Amino acid sequence: MTTAYAKAQKDGKWWVAFFTVDGKQYGTQGLSFSELERMVKDAADCMGYPDIDVVWQSIETPHDDLVTRMKQEGAQIETLRKQYAQTSRDLVATLRSEGFTIRDIAVVLGISSGRVQQLAKG
């Protein structure tokens, strides 16, 4: 299967794509990103490249700074979520080793007994 390496950008109400297939550059446009991908495949087909795989190298919008910030914050949230989960498991294990009951831990942490049991299982 042939690969089209594409770059997309939002330009007013249109999405514009510039793509390369076998070292040759082409362009097309669409009203939505989904339509744009179909248009890239259709244009490539017209140029003699049927059944191509589109690899998006970049997607630009007028709000790239916010997109970047959202992705960075999402990554930070995921890191914190993992840390929180590990801390919760460690705390439940510590409290259990000190003789706290499942119910006691649930009350102290403000979570359900069922959740404490899940954390205790690791």
Side-chain angles (χ1 to χ4, degrees), residues 9-12 14-15 59-67:
Q9 64 185 52
K10 184 73 168 161
D11 185 13
W14 293 94
W15 279 97
I59 301 171
E60 299 175 11
T61 75
H63 306 287
D64 284 347
D65 56 332
L66 293 175
V67 171

Side-chain angles (χ1 to χ4, degrees), residues 19 27 46 52 56 61 63 76 92 101 107 111:
F19 62 99
C46 290
I52 65 163
W56 294 102
T61 75
H63 306 287
Q76 291 171 344
V92 167
T101 66
V107 170
I111 60 178

